[in-house]
Amino acid sequence: MSGTVVDAFGTGLLDTTVTALPGGGHRWLRRPGPASADGFTPLADRLREAVGAVPAGAPVRPLLGRPAPDGARIYDAPGRHSAAHWLITGGGPHAAPGGARALADVLRGVGALLAALHRQPVPDEARRPSRAAVRLHRWLSGRTTAAGATPADLLGAEAVGPLRAWAAEAVQPSDGHVLSHGAPGLGALVLPGPDGTPDGPAALLTGEDLCAAPPHLDLGWMVGELVELRWLMGCATEPRSWQQPVDALLDGYGSGHAAGPGPCARESHLRGGALRIALHAHDTAAYLPDSVGQARLYGVLATAFTKEAAA
């Protein structure tokens, strides 16, 4: 690949290389990590059509990749860094290009994008469970360990039962499942500028995990990551600045969905958030060397979030 590598990072689960192209712009190359048990979801034409039917609109768009050797995907993205990078290295939402308000606008766009994706018919090619939910369910069911750590080790015995039941619900076929992104994380949300294309929309890398799942799995994924970062870093910044993107995400998703805002939906996206944080505890232990101690830290939050979701 021509261009200059400007960033490269990875775990046993996922490798990413970002290259600055000679003519401008950035190319993201992502491939399953060396310890990943599953490859990316094949991007059949009907899946491309389903994602392509999502109405285009600022400030965020789904960005489908194209195949590369060794099971990798290539994305021509609007920037060098993801939202996760800006939030972690900058210490909070204020560090995103354009500031906290601009980030909230992007998260509102992510919510609208997910809602639009969930309204699409589920092609037969997408009638598979979420790779992430399967990975979590295997561990919660005792079929795998995470670097020797059991679910009770990281999450506490009390949280395992509810999480296992919610993960089982997510991986079982159901008429209520929707076409899901599968892993709409902050690390897959590429923000434009200041070293990318300042006026372009953000892009959500899409296609590696397309599946059929309950809608709260996507929504809770992003909520869980925002809550996790607020928990890790929020004491150093204004708490409201972390709630703003969560509120914007839910506003963007709207109230016409089972997982959207509203008294009956609160439990749903809390469950999705609890699953995401529990998966992060697993993935940290399983795919980062010597990190079981760090995984226990995420487990503490996963346990607290699970109790709230189950209440």
Side-chain angles (χ1 to χ4, degrees), residues 138-190:
R138 286 175 183 156
W139 179 56
L140 293 170
S141 302
R143 286 181 281 160
T144 60
T145 63
T150 68
D153 289 335
L154 300 187
L155 308 171
E158 187 179 349
V160 173
L163 286 166
R164 184 170 55 232
W166 300 337
E169 176 190 42
V171 300
Q172 293 295 326
S174 169
D175 291 341
H177 287 181
V178 297
L179 177 60
S180 296
H181 181 286
L186 294 166
L189 179 60
V190 183

Side-chain angles (χ1 to χ4, degrees), residues 15-36:
D15 277 334
T16 301
T17 302
V18 182
T19 302
L21 301 176
H26 291 86
R27 181 160 293 169
W28 287 54
L29 175 70
R30 302 198 346 154
R31 62 163 53 92
S36 177

Side-chain angles (χ1 to χ4, degrees), residues 24-26 59 74 77 86 110 165 192 207 210 229 232 234 250 296:
H26 291 86
I74 289 175
W86 290 108
V110 170
L210 284 167
L229 288 181
L232 290 171
L250 299 176
R296 286 199 174 93

Side-chain angles (χ1 to χ4, degrees), residues 215-216 253 255-261 264-266 268-269:
H216 65 255
Y253 192 84
S255 59
H257 301 268
C264 295
R266 181 175 179 275
S268 294
H269 81 257

